[in-house]
Amino acid sequence: MRSTCYGAIKKGTCARPFPSAVKKSECCCANPDHGFGEPCQPCPAKNAAEFQALCSSGIGITADGRDINECALNSEICPNGICENLHGSYCCICNLGYESDTTGKNCVDVDECAVNRLLCDNGLCRNTPEVTHAPAPRATSSGQKQTPVKISMSAHLIHV
Ligand SMILES: [Ca+2]
Ligand SMILES: [Ca+2]
């Protein structure tokens, strides 16, 4: 039977309900940190026998062996990126100015200041959670205009 799936459990209370009602295995096999049902119960822990019984094909697969579309389940699964459903998993395609971490499931802000120390030549570079804005575009010796965005996206090209 279908019921509400919750994205998180905070201090024992289910939080962040997802919009559509799903089966327990769609909710709990997607992520054992979810909560399920009305009243909501925490999903069985990943190493619990109950989880093995419910999710016999492992994380990301329903009880009847179908891929769980994590992107459809949780529309906010990829902050700062776009979710792509994969068989048994998902990944996040990150927005400009963000890069995926080693799991491919989180988009983290790129520290443009660390990537390119020349970004703000005569100023103090401060990383921001978006594409870093340096002072106004300026012409290079070759006369080509370079915008700050272009600099931050191609840092290793201007080390000369
Ligand atoms: Ca999937
Ligand atoms: Ca940044």
Side-chain angles (χ1 to χ4, degrees):
M1 77 191 73
R2 289 168 182 270
S3 189
T4 309
C5 184
Y6 291 82
I9 297 171
K10 289 188 178 143
K11 293 176 183 160
T13 305
C14 294
R16 296 203 292 113
F18 298 143
S20 43
V22 295
K23 290 179 181 171
K24 186 174 183 180
S25 77
E26 282 176 86
C27 177
C28 292
C29 304
N31 186 339
D33 294 334
H34 286 167
F36 179 77
E38 301 288 353
C40 176
Q41 296 284 326
C43 287
K46 196 183 165 188
N47 53 8
E50 195 188 342
F51 181 86
Q52 308 294 338
L54 181 67
C55 312
S56 54
S57 301
I59 287 193
I61 307 289
T62 63
D64 53 358
R66 290 177 300 112
D67 171 59
I68 297 168
N69 186 339
E70 294 86 352
C71 310
L73 180 69
N74 178 4
S75 59
E76 293 169 359
I77 201 167
C78 290
N80 306 313
I82 295 167
C83 182
E84 182 173 278
N85 184 39
L86 303 173
H87 186 79
S89 186
Y90 71 93
C91 67
C92 298
I93 314 291
C94 298
N95 296 340
L96 195 66
Y98 293 84
E99 61 186 358
S100 57
D101 69 0
T102 51
T103 68
K105 293 180 168 64
N106 296 295
C107 292
V108 293
D109 175 48
V110 175
D111 184 349
E112 289 83 0
C113 304
V115 170
N116 176 13
R117 300 196 181 282
L118 301 176
L119 186 58
C120 303
D121 254 359
N122 300 309
L124 185 68
C125 188
R126 192 176 62 178
N127 180 43
T128 56
E130 65 216 42
V131 177
T132 297
H133 296 285
R138 55 204 160 88
T140 62
S141 51
S142 63
Q144 279 183 311
K145 280 229 166 185
Q146 284 190 313
T147 66
V149 172
K150 213 168 178 183
I151 292 170
S152 67
M153 290 297 115
S154 55
H156 45 280
L157 287 180
I158 64 156
H159 273 290
V160 280

